[in-house]
Amino acid sequence: LLYDLPMHYFQVSVLLLAISDTIANTGGYLRRWNPRFNILGEEKSILGVLGFAITAYIIFRQMLPGSGQAYLLYILLAIFVSINTEIISFKGSDNLSVPFGIALFLFLTHEQAVNSMLFIAVIPLMGLIAWILSWRGILTRYGSVLAYILGVYFIAVMGFSWIIPVAFFFLSSVLFTRLNGIVNKKPSGTNRRNIWQVLANISVATVCSALYLNKGNEIWIYSYITLVGAVTADTWASELGPIFNRKCLSLSDGKIHNAGISGGISFAGTLAALAGAFIVSLIGGVLLLGGMDWKLVFILSLSGFLASFIDSLLGAFVEPHLDEMKYFQKRRIPAGSKVNPGIHGVDRLTPNDLVNLLASMTAPVFFLVISKL
């Protein structure tokens, strides 16, 4: 991340790991006047966090050049971000999360106009929202932490215009998933999304947004919109299709099966996919491209829809083979097990997550091909 940026960025990232993280760990051994709290199943301490913050302030002030009120606000923001990289760590992952997290922050904010006060306000707000999502059973614990990080990134770094397509996808998906669960009488708690599902849906789009921030090329905006449109189309088809059509056509054997199988398509699901891709493309076109270019919206919509169809093809012909792989068989929860991944928050990578990720990545390819045609 930092190979062609100022050397003091690298030095700060390493010093925070070597000094601040060590102080935080040492502070955890103090028992008197040291309240504890639990994040991701690992105990943290107030004195540990305070020691981290103080040493981080000294490191930033000594290593980062600048002066004035804006500089001090930026330092305060950097401390907030650094503390978060340590708090969300577990089982020794702070050895990665601390240096990588602050390096990513410095990379994204390098020579950028940063609204530090907005950033500082968004951090606790997104923390509260993430806690509610976990508490209400919408996301697993790890999934809510990732949603927290992504929310802070999109609002404070990219801006509100960038998070609205993602928020629309997420809220509509939650609504239709719950509706599908009620109509088809699915067990309560089985629809909780985990960290792998969040990554499969949003990770590539997030990378595209960061590339636009760094490169300034509009192709990354188009890619971002089509990626969000593709996952929206796929989710809407998966959740709304079984509500309106009890049967579906299996692409793997060409026969009619009960709705909801991998690789199945239905008339209602197809219409839902088209609608989802179109609405996201319309929102993205207006907010991120500054206009209502109907030809462009059509190409973006079609690209997202075709990617959702690729998801069905992969679900029919690739997912069964992935499901037989030893890696996924070891991670599968045995039938009849009392462990419910939705209720207990078990985050397991599944073949369907991998299929969703691969299929969504075809959306920008479709956009480039259709644009040329």
Side-chain angles (χ1 to χ4, degrees):
L1 284 174
L2 304 177
Y3 73 97
D4 61 347
L5 296 182
M7 176 59 75
H8 54 254
Y9 284 176
F10 174 78
Q11 294 167 333
V12 164
S13 302
V14 175
L15 285 172
L16 284 172
L17 174 64
I19 299 175
S20 300
D21 186 52
T22 304
I23 292 295
N25 181 263
T26 304
Y29 289 102
L30 302 175
R31 292 295 171 181
R32 298 187 65 183
W33 304 299
N34 194 11
R36 313 281 165 153
F37 59 97
N38 196 291
I39 300 290
L40 293 179
E42 187 160 303
E43 189 178 71
K44 308 290 180 178
S45 70
I46 295 298
L47 289 181
V49 172
L50 182 61
F52 188 100
I54 293 173
T55 53
Y57 173 78
I58 295 172
I59 292 170
F60 283 125
R61 285 302 302 268
Q62 291 296 317
M63 303 302 299
L64 297 184
S67 61
Q69 183 178 5
Y71 168 74
L72 290 176
L73 283 174
Y74 182 79
I75 294 296
L76 179 61
L77 172 59
I79 293 171
F80 262 83
V81 173
S82 301
I83 291 173
N84 275 263
T85 64
E86 202 285 326
I87 287 179
I88 65 173
S89 66
F90 60 99
K91 296 182 180 179
S93 63
D94 49 352
N95 292 313
L96 173 64
S97 67
V98 171
F100 177 76
I102 196 61
L104 182 61
F105 168 76
L106 294 170
F107 171 81
L108 292 173
T109 59
H110 179 63
E111 296 184 346
Q112 300 290 332
V114 178
N115 188 337
S116 298
M117 292 305 296
L118 172 63
F119 222 132
I120 294 169
V122 165
I123 287 174
L125 174 62
M126 284 307 305
L128 176 62
I129 292 174
W131 177 80
I132 292 174
L133 292 174
S134 178
W135 173 56
R136 296 298 299 171
I138 296 172
L139 295 174
T140 64
R141 194 180 339 181
Y142 298 113
S144 64
V145 169
L146 181 58
Y148 161 67
I149 296 171
L150 292 174
V152 172
Y153 163 74
F154 275 114
I155 295 177
V157 177
M158 299 306 301
F160 284 100
S161 297
W162 286 81
I163 200 174
I164 289 177
V166 175
F168 174 78
F169 154 70
F170 178 73
L171 294 174
S172 63
S173 299
V174 169
L175 175 63
F176 294 148
T177 299
R178 289 293 174 92
L179 184 61
N180 185 17
I182 293 171
V183 172
N184 292 298
K185 299 179 180 179
K186 294 183 178 181
S188 177
T190 57
N191 295 320
R192 177 178 285 193
R193 286 171 167 79
N194 63 39
I195 189 171
W196 294 109
Q197 291 168 314
V198 176
L199 282 171
N201 287 323
I202 302 300
S203 60
V204 183
T206 304
V207 171
C208 289
S209 69
L211 287 171
Y212 173 74
L213 187 69
N214 188 254
K215 304 296 183 182
N217 193 323
E218 277 196 348
I219 187 61
W220 300 117
I221 300 182
Y222 302 143
S223 299
Y224 173 79
I225 295 172
T226 58
L227 284 161
V228 179
V231 296
T232 303
D234 175 59
T235 303
W236 282 29
S238 300
E239 302 300 343
L240 291 179
I243 293 177
F244 296 100
N245 291 135
R246 297 295 180 182
K247 300 291 182 178
C248 69
L249 173 67
S250 172
L251 295 177
S252 60
D253 59 15
K255 297 180 180 179
I256 301 299
H257 295 267
N258 291 329
I261 65 169
S262 294
I265 59 174
S266 66
F267 180 72
T270 301
L271 289 181
L274 279 169
F278 172 74
I279 295 174
V280 169
S281 300
L282 189 61
I283 293 173
V286 172
L287 295 178
L288 300 178
L289 299 173
M292 192 81 78
D293 186 336
W294 289 108
K295 181 179 179 180
L296 181 58
V297 169
F298 170 76
I299 297 174
L300 291 168
S301 304
L302 185 58
S303 302
F305 170 73
L306 290 175
S308 71
F309 184 72
I310 295 297
D311 188 281
S312 297
L313 286 174
L314 293 177
F317 298 104
V318 176
E319 188 173 335
H321 296 289
L322 291 175
D323 204 42
E324 294 174 358
M325 293 175 61
K326 185 179 295 185
Y327 172 81
F328 291 109
Q329 288 181 346
K330 286 182 178 179
R331 296 175 63 86
R332 188 180 298 122
I333 297 175
S337 172
K338 294 182 180 180
V339 177
N340 185 317
I343 296 175
H344 297 282
V346 178
D347 290 79
R348 295 171 182 266
L349 177 65
T350 67
N352 184 253
D353 297 331
L354 193 56
V355 163
N356 289 342
L357 175 64
L358 294 174
S360 68
M361 291 172 65
T362 64
V365 178
F366 281 123
F367 175 80
L368 291 174
V369 172
I370 297 170
S371 297
K372 292 295 183 182
L373 294 176

